[in-house]
Amino acid sequence: MDQEVLSQLLPVGTILENRYRIDRYLSSGGFGNTYLARDTKLDCIVAIKEFFLKEHSSRCADGRTVQNTTPTSRKLFHDYQEKFVTEAKRITQLHSDHIVRVIDLFDDNGTSYYVMDFLDGMSLKEHLKIHGPMSESVARNIALQLTEALEAVHTAGFYHLDIKPNNVMLTTSGKAVLVDFGASKQMSTDGGATKHSMMVHTPGYAPPEQTDQRADRIGPWTDFFALGATLYAMLTATTPPSVSYINDEGANAFTFPQHVSMYLRNAVINMMQPGTKKRPQNAVEVKRLLTADNQRTGGTNTHSGYSDANESTIGYQQTRYTTQYQQPPTRNEAIRVQPKPKRRTWIWPLVGVIILLIIISTIHVLSYRDDMDKVVDSISHTEESTIENADPVISGMESLKELTDLAKNNGNGWTEAEWKEALKVATIAIIPMIEESYKFEEKCKNSNSDDPQVLSALQEEANNFEKKYKDLEKQFTEFRKTAESYAIGDSLMSDDTYAQELYEELGISEFMADE
């Protein structure tokens, strides 16, 4: 562990609340650190989660106290600290053997802590990474345990909204336990979710209503989509298909191992329907899907643990959710939903500005001669221009391509700070195009010549300008789609406040205001 990480952690041996002794560091995230500790009063092992806003907090010289030096950091810390405390209080309202239990909540060292039962085992994500796909019976049993957990969550008036392998613990005693309620939301009076903050999501595990920030459409079916995606991950040890791919391919978007029965395939496909009304609406319907074959054959299906068990896959029960997929569907039988509306992203104003400047520049060129319609046509079609590698626009494109490749390979593990740096580089990459737009516009304004050679030179420059713009637009579009495929990248791309901060940092805010 490097020195920077160590400087953010409580020292081993620290005593909290005159009761809990920190024995070992377990893990960290963007919003906190988790430690293994001993409750000295009850003489038992516990886990303690400490609120620590990674990019905005630091330790004082005493090695304990958390400080936030800037007004912005202090405000962010306070806002997220309230959410941290709310998370702990929500968990205390939930009663299930398959939900982590919070046993204490307190403030100390300038921050907040909550104490949980220590779960001896590993996350489902770690298990799949080490052991690969699970057998059908094991995956089903875990899914049934998580269904019981979600039933308790929904009964208490909440939605978890972040079901995924990383938030499921598999204990050595054979139990699946749902953890991390940081993304959870309370039900609103009209049945949706409260709208106090943006809903975070993990690509592959979030349905359209969550990625589109439609709090009014959130319901139990939202968590069941993520449960279906988690079940798919257990059966295949791969990332679930995206909603857009499901929209395009229907049931063909899913690839299951040969051993997986039709019943369990149907369960996954129906839980991951893009349309909210096509998914199970409550836990009873989910359990019916998961145990369809046992109901048909008269078998039993216990799920107190996740160890393997014998099961029968003979027979087939047609239910509301399984009839559509008795046989592999044809193209016309694929899932049909309305196309997802395009989301406005923060960077597109820059691209819009470039388009506007191209139009302005073209108008100036056209003003010099009536027959310049032919020039406009040639701007759209010619590819005869030669661009040197020293061109800053070309260099920007090359940087953007390298950044896109890097994001594709590593973006899922990037922190918010790393994504912000990537978006800054992407913005810097298109600034030369903006500057060239200005220069070309000024050249058109200052040219009063009717000389055919001058007009020909302007035409050639316009051709070069258009080609570079199209190449840059294509490369930036690829980067944008890559960023939107990851939770943090997607949220930053949609954050107008952060976009304005970035414009000011790069000195282009005045330009944006003028346009």
Side-chain angles (χ1 to χ4, degrees):
M1 190 182 305
D2 60 40
Q3 192 61 39
E4 181 180 359
V5 174
L6 283 172
S7 67
Q8 298 177 351
L9 304 177
L10 284 172
V12 170
T14 300
I15 303 295
L16 300 173
E17 283 287 279
N18 295 317
R19 176 174 181 174
Y20 304 107
R21 186 188 70 229
I22 302 298
D23 285 349
R24 180 160 58 91
Y25 162 76
L26 292 177
S27 63
S28 291
F31 298 94
N33 304 312
T34 304
Y35 307 91
L36 179 72
R38 177 164 292 278
D39 182 342
T40 58
K41 288 187 177 180
L42 298 179
D43 193 26
C44 63
I45 297 174
V46 295
I48 297 182
K49 191 170 182 178
E50 172 191 50
F51 178 67
F52 189 93
L53 200 55
K54 186 176 179 181
E55 302 299 330
H56 298 273
S57 304
S58 61
R59 299 279 180 194
C60 292
D62 62 6
R64 294 174 51 117
T65 307
V66 176
Q67 63 178 354
N68 305 279
T69 55
T70 68
T72 300
S73 293
R74 285 193 290 271
K75 183 179 186 309
L76 282 172
F77 187 90
H78 175 73
D79 291 344
Y80 282 104
Q81 185 179 17
E82 287 185 349
K83 295 178 182 180
F84 180 87
V85 171
T86 299
E87 174 187 353
K89 291 180 177 178
R90 282 179 179 171
I91 299 175
T92 62
Q93 299 177 43
L94 306 176
H95 305 289
S96 169
D97 287 341
H98 304 292
I99 295 176
V100 65
R101 189 170 67 111
V102 169
I103 55 181
D104 201 358
L105 172 66
F106 58 89
D107 291 337
D108 199 355
N109 301 325
T111 188
S112 298
Y113 300 84
Y114 64 78
V115 184
M116 304 170 285
D117 287 333
F118 173 65
L119 301 174
D120 189 12
M122 67 175 67
S123 72
L124 176 56
K125 181 179 180 179
E126 292 173 313
H127 187 281
L128 292 174
K129 185 176 181 180
I130 295 171
H131 301 289
M134 293 178 164
S135 70
E136 178 170 333
S137 59
V138 172
R140 189 205 309 252
N141 284 334
I142 292 175
L144 284 167
Q145 292 180 68
L146 296 178
T147 303
E148 288 190 2
L150 287 175
E151 189 170 24
V153 172
H154 299 158
T155 300
F158 303 108
Y159 306 119
H160 187 278
L161 301 184
D162 200 18
I163 308 294
K164 58 186 178 183
N166 202 41
N167 288 340
V168 176
M169 284 293 296
L170 304 179
T171 70
T172 54
S173 62
K175 184 189 297 185
V177 182
L178 186 59
V179 301
D180 198 340
F181 283 71
S184 64
K185 283 191 177 293
Q186 191 169 7
M187 294 181 188
S188 61
T189 54
D190 58 2
T194 53
K195 302 179 181 180
H196 298 310
S197 60
M198 178 181 290
M199 289 181 284
V200 299
H201 61 273
T202 301
Y205 296 89
E209 67 269 21
Q210 191 171 353
T211 59
D212 292 344
Q213 303 296 314
R214 290 291 304 274
D216 57 311
R217 296 181 59 194
I218 297 297
W221 45 85
T222 306
D223 281 337
F224 296 147
F225 180 100
L227 177 60
T230 301
L231 177 55
Y232 181 83
M234 287 191 279
L235 294 168
T236 66
T238 61
T239 302
S242 66
V243 173
S244 61
Y245 190 48
I246 297 173
N247 278 334
D248 292 340
E249 300 295 331
N252 293 328
F254 301 86
T255 303
F256 295 95
Q258 289 294 323
H259 73 271
V260 178
S261 68
M262 183 63 71
Y263 311 104
L264 215 54
R265 297 184 190 208
N266 286 330
V268 171
I269 291 170
N270 286 287
M271 280 193 277
M272 291 188 69
Q273 290 273 2
T276 59
K277 293 182 180 179
K278 294 182 179 181
R279 296 175 223 147
Q281 304 294 293
N282 54 58
V284 172
E285 294 181 353
V286 174
K287 291 176 183 178
R288 186 181 301 129
L289 276 176
L290 294 172
T291 58
D293 58 338
N294 291 67
Q295 295 169 20
R296 176 74 174 180
T297 62
T300 58
N301 195 307
T302 60
H303 48 273
S304 59
Y306 63 91
S307 57
D308 206 347
N310 292 326
E311 63 179 351
S312 172
T313 57
I314 301 173
Y316 186 79
Q317 178 177 1
Q318 294 185 5
T319 69
R320 168 185 171 193
Y321 301 103
T322 58
T323 303
Q324 182 180 5
Y325 297 106
Q326 293 180 49
Q327 300 296 332
T330 65
R331 178 70 179 181
N332 291 333
E333 292 172 330
I335 299 171
R336 296 184 179 91
V337 298
Q338 291 296 322
K340 175 180 173 181
K342 293 183 178 180
R343 298 175 57 200
R344 185 173 69 86
T345 54
W346 65 265
I347 198 72
W348 276 112
L350 281 178
V351 178
V353 167
I354 296 175
I355 295 173
L356 178 61
L357 289 174
I358 291 174
I359 294 172
I360 292 172
S361 301
T362 304
I363 291 174
H364 281 294
V365 173
L366 288 173
S367 68
Y368 297 132
R369 210 171 67 186
D370 292 337
D371 63 352
M372 285 298 287
D373 286 340
K374 296 179 181 179
V375 176
V376 176
D377 185 64
S378 69
I379 289 175
S380 301
H381 297 92
T382 185
E383 295 182 357
E384 297 176 355
S385 59
T386 301
I387 304 173
E388 298 297 331
N389 287 333
D391 189 318
V393 176
I394 301 303
S395 298
M397 277 189 277
E398 291 173 351
S399 297
L400 200 52
K401 185 179 186 307
E402 291 177 3
L403 182 65
T404 302
D405 292 341
L406 191 62
K408 286 179 179 179
N409 295 327
N410 304 293
N412 196 37
W414 283 354
T415 64
E416 180 176 313
E418 289 169 332
W419 266 112
K420 285 184 175 181
E421 185 64 26
L423 295 180
K424 183 191 296 185
V425 171
T427 306
I428 292 172
I430 67 174
I431 289 178
M433 189 82 251
I434 298 173
E435 293 174 344
E436 187 164 318
S437 299
Y438 269 129
K439 291 178 183 178
F440 183 55
E441 181 183 8
E442 288 301 314
K443 181 177 290 188
C444 290
K445 287 180 180 178
N446 297 329
S447 177
N448 297 315
S449 174
D450 290 328
D451 187 335
Q453 291 185 344
V454 174
L455 292 174
S456 177
L458 283 173
Q459 175 184 338
E460 183 177 358
E461 190 166 351
N463 291 340
N464 291 342
F465 185 94
E466 177 74 359
K467 184 179 186 301
K468 285 190 290 185
Y469 164 73
K470 287 183 177 179
D471 290 342
L472 182 64
E473 180 187 37
K474 181 179 179 181
Q475 186 57 58
F476 182 79
T477 298
E478 185 179 355
F479 170 77
R480 176 179 62 81
K481 289 181 178 179
T482 301
E484 288 179 347
S485 67
Y486 299 115
I488 300 176
D490 183 49
S491 63
L492 288 174
M493 291 288 284
S494 306
D495 188 345
D496 290 332
T497 301
Y498 173 65
Q500 185 59 39
E501 292 175 357
L502 183 56
Y503 297 154
E504 291 176 357
E505 180 182 350
L506 297 177
I508 58 175
S509 56
E510 293 183 4
F511 164 78
M512 295 302 299
D514 290 341
E515 293 301 324

